[in-house]
Structures are given as C-alpha cells and as structure tokens.
C-alpha cells in the first residue's frame, strides 16, 4: 500500500484565497483524521471521520474551516477565506478502527503558507 | 481533550549514551497510550501502543513502560545513535477514543 497520500505537499497562497487540501487514506481504513501542527500548539486534532461521516469537529478553529469525505478514499479540508494565522503543516491520518489501540498512519503533510 | 505533559522538552546526549523521557497523562478514562517518533521533515511514525498497567514494549534499542494508575509512561533508548535524533510524541487515548498528542521530547544525539 502507498500509505496515506496528501496533496499538495506545499501550498503558498495570499490572504483571502480559498485553499483546499486533499487526502487519500489507506485502503480499508475506516477512520480518517485531520491534524494541524504549529509551533505554538503542537499537533492538534481538527476533525475526524468514521465511514465517511464526521464524528467530532470540535477542533475546527472556526467557520472558515470545513472538511468533507465524499467517499472512503478521499477527503478534503477547505479554508475559505484563508488568513496568515492558518499557516501550518496539515496532516491527514487514517486507522483501521478507533478503538484507541489501533495505530494512526500519517500522511506526509501539506505545508500551508498564507501571505 | 486530555492534559498531556512530556519532559524534558529537549535533550542532547552523546552517541552511545542511554536516555529516557516521560509522558504524564490523566489516569482517569484511560484507554491506550501511543508513542510516535517524528523526524524532521517527515510524518509521525508509530512506535508502540500500550493498554495495560505494567505493559512493557520493546523495539530494538527502544522500549517503553506504562503505569496507568499513576498516569505516566517512560520511553527508554539504550545506546543512542545519531539516527535516533527525532521528536518523540506520546498520545494517550481517552474514552472518546481520540488521541491527544503531547508537545514531544526533542532528542538530539551527538556523534
């Protein structure tokens, strides 16, 4: 398996623009997680899905952020409009289940810079 | 969201030294404790998952122990090598089954 795939790897955009980050989880994994990594807050969970359904989005910073999972092999995280404080590395991870004991496999991340 | 503390924040050791660091977490509603290794410019990689009080896991020169009653886990590295340089994250999972990541211990092994 190719592992979790994220695109783009790097994104530079201007404040106010819409940004869409993409993730393909490992085939057969029922859970998908979106994380954001910043110097100030470390690695924080934004939202996670189970069988394509959002379960907990309490980590999403504000209404400018939205996430979807239209099918088992694809998810998007959208920021509209983007702001400089959104600059961070965004990771997608997937796991077979979320019993708490199953490993989460991380993608390579998308480094977002908002100017 | 759990309150997770890792110490020390950063650590420099000489090649060949053994070292250890700590992860503290609330003992209530504990379900599992994950350790991840995170190299610069890469993504976190899973090391261990532990669930039972007294659990010990080992992978090569790296091992970990778990005390769920007092809410801590230790990660040990025996005979550190430069390739062990990374940030080591712990992530307890509570009753919500979500992982809360600590801020990590950044290890630098000097040749």
């Amino acid at each position: 398996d190719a592992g979790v795939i994220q695109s783009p790897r790097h994104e530079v955009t201007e404040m106010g623009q819409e940004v869409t980050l993409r993730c393909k989880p490992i085939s057969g994994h029922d859970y998908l997680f979106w994380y954001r990594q910043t110097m100030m807050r470390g690695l924080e969970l934004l939202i996670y899905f189970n069988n394509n359904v959002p379960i907990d989005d309490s980590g999403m910073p504000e209404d400018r952020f939205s996430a979807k999972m239209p099918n088992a092999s694809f998810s998007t995280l959208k920021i509209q409009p983007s702001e400089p404080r959104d600059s961070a590395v965004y990771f997608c991870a997937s796991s077979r289940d979320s019993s708490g004991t199953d490993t989460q496999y991380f993608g390579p991340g998308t480094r977002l810079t908002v100017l | 969201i759990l309150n997770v503390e890792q110490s020390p924040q950063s650590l420099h050791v000489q090649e060949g030294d053994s070292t250890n660091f700590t992860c503290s977490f609330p003992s209530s509603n504990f379900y599992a404790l994950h350790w991840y290794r995170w190299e610069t410019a890469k993504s976190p990689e899973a090391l261990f998952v532990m669930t039972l009080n007294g659990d010990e896991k080992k992978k090569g020169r790296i091992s970990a122990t778990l005390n769920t009653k007092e809410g801590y886990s230790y990660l040990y590295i025996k005979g550190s090598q430069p390739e062990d340089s990374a940030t080591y994250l712990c992530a307890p999972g509570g009753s919500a089954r979500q992982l809360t990541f600590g801020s990590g211990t950044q290890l630098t092994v000097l040749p």
Side-chain angles (χ1 to χ4, degrees), chain A residues 35 37 43 45 48 56 91 98-104 106-108, chain B residues 31-32 34 36 38 42-44 46 49 51 89 96-99 101:
Chain A
Y35 290 91
Q37 187 239 341
L43 194 60
L45 178 67
Y48 78 95
D56 188 341
F91 286 98
S98 188
S99 65
T101 61
D102 211 44
T103 296
Q104 292 185 19
F106 283 75
Chain B
Y31 196 82
H34 297 242
Y36 282 81
W38 195 359
K42 294 187 178 180
S43 50
V49 181
T51 56
L89 300 171
R97 306 294 194 260
Q98 296 165 228
L99 300 183
F101 283 85

Side-chain angles (χ1 to χ4, degrees), chain B:
Chain B
I1 303 291
L2 304 175
N3 184 26
V4 184
E5 292 186 9
Q6 290 191 247
S7 63
Q9 274 191 323
S10 66
L11 189 57
H12 288 71
V13 301
Q14 289 294 136
E15 182 176 354
D17 287 351
S18 294
T19 187
N20 65 85
F21 19 94
T22 307
C23 171
S24 301
F25 51 88
S27 55
S28 59
N29 291 329
F30 173 85
Y31 196 82
L33 190 285
H34 297 242
W35 279 100
Y36 282 81
R37 181 171 177 274
W38 195 359
E39 287 183 73
T40 303
K42 294 187 178 180
S43 50
E45 286 184 33
L47 284 172
F48 306 115
V49 181
M50 295 182 288
T51 56
L52 300 176
N53 186 45
D55 252 356
E56 287 189 37
K57 293 282 176 100
K58 188 174 180 184
K59 193 174 188 176
R61 294 178 292 98
I62 304 176
S63 59
T65 60
L66 178 65
N67 183 321
T68 60
K69 293 184 179 178
E70 296 181 41
Y72 65 85
S73 175
Y74 293 137
L75 189 83
Y76 301 89
I77 302 179
K78 185 177 177 182
S80 305
Q81 300 296 309
E83 58 264 31
D84 296 329
S85 297
T87 297
Y88 291 83
L89 300 171
C90 74
S95 57
R97 306 294 194 260
Q98 296 165 228
L99 300 183
T100 301
F101 283 85
S103 54
T105 292
Q106 187 174 13
L107 174 67
T108 303
V109 182
L110 305 168

Side-chain angles (χ1 to χ4, degrees), chain A residues 8-25:
Chain A
R9 294 292 304 274
H10 302 272
E11 176 82 34
V12 180
T13 190
E14 292 188 347
M15 184 172 67
Q17 296 297 307
E18 178 180 294
V19 175
T20 300
L21 311 181
R22 295 172 177 80
C23 174
K24 177 177 166 51

Side-chain angles (χ1 to χ4, degrees), chain A residues 12-80:
Chain A
V12 180
T13 190
E14 292 188 347
M15 184 172 67
Q17 296 297 307
E18 178 180 294
V19 175
T20 300
L21 311 181
R22 295 172 177 80
C23 174
K24 177 177 166 51
I26 293 173
S27 177
H29 282 192
D30 294 332
Y31 283 80
L32 183 140
F33 305 83
W34 281 102
Y35 290 91
R36 177 171 69 174
Q37 187 239 341
T38 61
M39 289 292 290
M40 293 296 295
R41 299 171 68 91
L43 194 60
E44 53 179 342
L45 178 67
L46 300 177
I47 184 171
Y48 78 95
F49 295 82
N50 176 25
N51 291 322
N52 315 337
V53 176
I55 302 300
D56 188 341
D57 65 355
S58 58
M60 296 284 261
E62 47 198 276
D63 292 345
R64 297 184 297 106
F65 285 69
S66 62
K68 293 182 181 179
M69 192 164 185
N71 58 63
S73 58
F74 183 64
S75 176
T76 59
L77 178 68
K78 187 177 291 186
I79 309 173
Q80 165 64 19

